[in-house]
Amino acid sequence: MEKYSRALERLKKSFTKFKEVIENPVIPEIFKEEFLIEISTKRFEYTYESLWKTVKEFLRLRGIECNSPKSCFRELIKEGIVPEKFEKILAEMIVLRNILVHIYDEEQAKDIYERIKKKDIVETFHTIIQLLEKEKP
């Protein structure tokens, strides 16, 4: 249980940092676009990694084993913890994260930045964190 509590705290902290860089209107004035994209995509990646590892630990405490983000998110939905309406966004987040790991093209990075700062990504992280806080593992 302690491992899960630590994972959830890391997730909340990484989400706060991600949201800060995405939603703060002053940030684009401070940083060049290149740095803004790099910071935002990296914080998205950290938050995503924290999310799926927290979900993995949450499910493990419920006796459910999953070993990939896709299987963990699928189980979270199957268990009724997260509504099915988030399935498509979670699948997209998996793709975005996988592209980010192997990205070498500035335009592609910019496209991903434009996608991750959209409201549905932030809302998905926020909603799942809230649901995990309410549910008992």
Side-chain angles (χ1 to χ4, degrees):
M1 185 67 169
E2 187 177 322
K3 185 177 177 181
Y4 169 69
S5 296
R6 283 194 316 266
L8 185 58
E9 286 307 310
R10 272 192 307 274
L11 170 58
K12 291 190 309 189
K13 188 175 182 178
S14 65
F15 174 65
T16 298
K17 288 183 173 204
F18 170 67
K19 197 172 145 186
E20 173 186 70
V21 75
I22 293 296
E23 294 183 345
N24 188 330
V26 178
I27 298 287
E29 295 171 14
I30 297 171
F31 294 104
K32 291 181 183 179
E33 183 180 56
E34 175 184 334
F35 290 122
L36 181 60
I37 290 169
E38 190 173 323
I39 293 165
S40 300
T41 55
K42 199 46 117 169
R43 286 190 179 182
F44 166 80
E45 189 178 345
Y46 291 154
T47 306
Y48 168 87
E49 291 295 328
S50 293
L51 175 66
W52 96 261
K53 289 174 182 174
T54 302
V55 168
K56 180 180 179 174
E57 185 59 23
F58 174 86
L59 292 169
R60 186 190 67 77
L61 291 170
R62 288 185 159 213
I64 301 167
E65 293 296 322
C66 59
N67 295 311
S68 71
K70 187 176 185 178
S71 66
C72 288
F73 296 149
R74 188 179 299 134
E75 287 294 332
L76 199 62
I77 291 168
K78 185 177 157 187
E79 287 292 303
I81 309 300
V82 173
E84 279 187 45
K85 71 178 186 175
F86 290 101
E87 189 171 13
K88 187 176 179 181
I89 299 167
L90 287 167
E92 182 181 4
M93 289 166 67
I94 292 169
V95 170
L96 292 171
R97 186 269 177 197
N98 290 341
I99 293 169
L100 278 173
V101 173
H102 304 287
I103 200 165
Y104 306 104
D105 180 272
E106 202 173 307
E107 277 306 307
Q108 196 175 22
K110 189 174 182 177
D111 290 343
I112 291 174
Y113 166 69
E114 291 300 325
R115 180 61 192 108
I116 65 172
K117 70 179 190 175
K118 296 224 170 150
K119 193 175 178 180
D120 60 344
I121 297 281
V122 174
E123 284 180 359
T124 299
F125 279 131
H126 180 72
T127 300
I128 293 174
I129 291 168
Q130 284 185 318
L131 293 170
L132 289 174
E133 287 181 313
K134 283 184 200 175
E135 283 290 324
K136 299 230 188 252

